[in-house]
Each structure stands twice: as structure tokens, then as C-alpha cells.
Amino acid sequence: MADDWSPASWRRFDARQQPDYADHGALAAALAGLAAYPPLVRAAEAQALKAALAEAQAGRAFLLQGGDCAESFADFGPGNVRLSVGLIAEVARRLGGSAGLPVVRVARIAGQFAKPRSRAWERRDGRRLPMYRGDIVNGFAFDEAARRADPERMFRAYAQSAATLGHLAADAGPDGLWTAHEALLLPYEQALVRRDGAGWYGSSAHFLWIGDRTRFDGSAHVELLRGLTNPIGIKCGPSLGPELLLRLLDRLDPVREPGRITLIVRMGAGRIAEALPPLLRAVRAEGRPALWCCDPMHGNTVRARSGYKTRPMARILGEAQAFFAICRAEGAVPAGLHVEMTGQDVAECTGGAAGVEERDLASGYRSLCDPRLNPGQAAELAERVGAELERLRGAEAA
Ligand code: PEP
Ligand code: CO
């Protein structure tokens, strides 16, 4: 680990997407409280996931990351956890296919509470309030009290995460399920940094990723994660060029450790053909280890005429298929899929075999943030990706 790093060194860098906590005393008290709490996950578990990701990177397994866009305090209970676990198992079964490719299952759960936003303020009917940033920060209701950033919410997120982890251990079966979220809320993540032998790890989840809005040069998020031993993801959107990607890899993975870095590609169906090949080539030319993972959700968000944020299945399937085709053409291993999905029968993304239409969104939309696949749509995507994986393995065997 770099010797100028400490759990607080991110404070010298550019920390974007952070709430404005008015009461600094309350914030300090909450962070001190959390720092004394037990770790949510163990360092050894995060290391085991890193080893599993190294296998996927080499093409001997496939990574599935999936779950809610944002977990909520209201929508929580054993039933919901069970639905999420069941959906991940079902999607993994379809991905692994008849060939029985092992699927490394990582859920966006037990910590996926903080959301990056494209604007800091929301205006409605002439009133302006801070944007909703996820239940760990503030409330969704459009009123002044709810939208105030409240440090006490971090305890509730911690408690819900701990309760969820307890349930996952019981429900997820013998192969286990790892947890992941965007490491966005820096004070919370710092408070949960713990010792890992000679180094440090983030104990809020096994896998932490840096979002597309916070992976720039000079980012505080990059600084915090660079000192942690967890496996780490980097979201790769259309504004990420090969030079910046290589600089990020130098910082986050100087020793080139297999399983350390997952590159989560979210270019959008219309841009992936142009934006992905330069990244694949740069990483290969430098001989850097990285797991290439397809997120066909975040580059395909459109606004429906009714105002809802939605994602058309045709674009989601299109980006996933293009990802495989491009990896094949460039000689890279397509090794993972990252999706926002829910076990509830929602109507948030349009299209798919069940034919969700824009007019269905009004009654079937439940997400507080981005649109998720419902179980039918998730199964459909998994079938397509499973077929791509079988084709790939067939080509290898021939
Ligand atoms: C997300 O995964 O929920 C997200 C906000 O992604 P991105 O950083 O890729 O926009
Ligand atoms: Co999202």
C-alpha cells in the first residue's frame, strides 16, 4: 500500500457527490459511533471473492452482479431479501447454462444505499430542495425535513445491512453470495475501514465500485479505494478514454493483482462499438489484468413521454450482445454481467417478451431511482447472455 495513504487521505482530494451535512457535530458523532461498530464483512471473505474474480477473469467462471438500483428503508423485509436471492439464483442458473460454467454471484445489496445524482437540487412547483441522494443520506419525500442530510441515517443503513447479511447467510445456500455497492458516501465508507493484516480493507461490503461520475483524475473516491485490499470495480462510461483508464489502473492496481479490478462497461447500445475497443486494446497492450463486465443498464436510460426514467429492453439486449461481439473480435474475455433487477413484478423498463409499454409505467413503477428489470426481463437477458457464453465455449472447444 502506498505510504502516503490513510483512511482519511481522501479528504485532500476532490470529493464529488457528497451531501452537505449542516450539523458537523452530529456528523462527527455518527462517524465515531460507526467506527466502533463491528465490520459488516470479513477481510478473508473479500479475499476469497478476489480469488473467484481472478477465475472469472481467466474465463473459467462468469461474474453476475445484480440487484436494486437503490435499497430503501421502507421496502425492506425477509420477503424482499428472499426474492432478491431467488432472482439472482435463477439468473445465475440461466447464465451458467447447460455447460455448467460456474457463476460468481455478487448482489447489489446490504449497503447499496447512496446514489450519485446529475443535479444537486430538485425544483418542483417553484420550490427548490436538495436532491434525494439515497436513504443513507436523506428522504425521498419532497419536503424540507426529509431532504435534509441526516447523519443518523448511516446507523439505519448499517443496521439494515447487518440484518440483510444475516438473512443472506441463511438464504443464499452453500455457495454463498457476496455483497457489493457503489462506495459513494465517503465518510461512511471511511468509518467502516478496518485493519486487514498489514493493510486495510473496506468492511461495508466485499466488493466496492467507483461510479462513472467519481472516477476522474484527482478523485477522492479513487484515493480512498486505492488503499483498500477489497476487489474493486470501475464504471466505464463513454467519457472514459484509454489514457485515463490506464492512469486509474496504475493508481488502483499498481501491483497488477488478478481479481483486483473489474471494469464495468456501461457505454450505451449506441456508443459501445466506438468506445469499448480503445479501452480493450489499451489494457491488453499494457498487459494489465482486469475483468471485463457488461452493465447494459446505465448507458441506456431514456425519459418516457410521461416523464419516467426508463430503459428499453431492445437497447439493453443490444448492448449486451455488442459487448460479447466486441470482446470476441478483440480477443478479450467477456467475463461478467452487471444488472439492476428486482424480484418484484415491476414495470420500469419497457419491452421484452411480456411487452411492458410506456403506459404501464404509471402503475408498475416502484424504483426510487433507476428503472430495474423485472424477473421476466432479467430471465430474458440471462438467456441471451447464456447463449453467448455457450457459443464462446463452443468456439473454444472447436
Ligand atoms: C449505478 O450503478 O447505480 C450507477 C449510478 O452507475 P453509474 O456510475 O455507471 O452511472
Ligand atoms: Co443505477
Side-chain angles (χ1 to χ4, degrees), residues 69 108 112 115-116 182 209-213 235 266 295 298 338 340 370:
C69 178
R108 292 176 61 119
Q112 176 50 32
K115 297 310 297 175
E182 179 173 351
W209 77 82
I210 308 175
D212 196 49
R213 292 173 183 79
K235 288 288 199 111
R266 35 85 84 222
D295 167 357
H298 287 88
H338 184 119
E340 287 181 341
D370 286 345

Side-chain angles (χ1 to χ4, degrees), residues 324-380:
F324 274 84
I326 294 164
C327 285
R328 208 162 39 234
E330 298 289 335
V333 180
L337 179 69
H338 184 119
V339 278
E340 287 181 341
M341 59 183 185
T342 174
Q344 301 172 15
D345 195 20
V346 301
E348 297 172 2
C349 295
T350 54
V356 176
E357 310 230 16
E358 282 198 6
R359 65 165 178 273
D360 300 322
L361 303 180
S363 58
Y365 208 98
R366 299 199 54 187
S367 178
L368 301 184
C369 204
D370 286 345
R372 303 160 296 179
L373 300 174
N374 64 29
Q377 292 168 328
E380 203 175 328

Side-chain angles (χ1 to χ4, degrees), residues 285-298:
E286 298 288 316
R288 289 208 152 267
L291 188 162
W292 292 100
C293 176
C294 171
D295 167 357
M297 312 297 295
H298 287 88

Side-chain angles (χ1 to χ4, degrees), residues 37-43 45-46 49 71 76-78 80-82 84-85 88 105-113 155-173 176-181 188-189 192 201-208 230:
Y37 275 24
L40 285 168
V41 305
R42 304 287 173 140
E45 298 165 348
L49 172 57
E71 290 175 90
F76 174 61
N80 227 355
V81 175
R82 206 165 291 131
S84 302
V85 170
I88 289 171
R105 292 172 298 148
V106 179
R108 292 176 61 119
I109 204 169
Q112 176 50 32
F113 288 104
F155 286 108
R156 197 153 167 208
Y158 177 97
Q160 182 166 320
S161 299
T164 302
L165 282 160
H167 244 273
L168 288 178
D171 277 3
L177 183 66
W178 281 284
T179 60
H181 63 257
Y188 178 81
E189 299 298 339
L192 290 181
Y201 80 108
S203 78
S204 63
H206 303 111
F207 180 102
L208 298 169
N230 308 60

Side-chain angles (χ1 to χ4, degrees), residues 10 13-19 115-117 133 182-187 212-222:
W10 63 266
F13 290 77
D14 183 0
R16 296 191 193 156
Q17 296 285 342
Q18 302 305 294
K115 297 310 297 175
R117 305 313 307 247
R133 291 187 177 273
E182 179 173 351
L184 182 67
L185 185 58
L186 291 165
D212 196 49
R213 292 173 183 79
T214 49
R215 45 116 188 100
F216 54 92
D217 278 318
S219 154
H221 294 81
V222 173

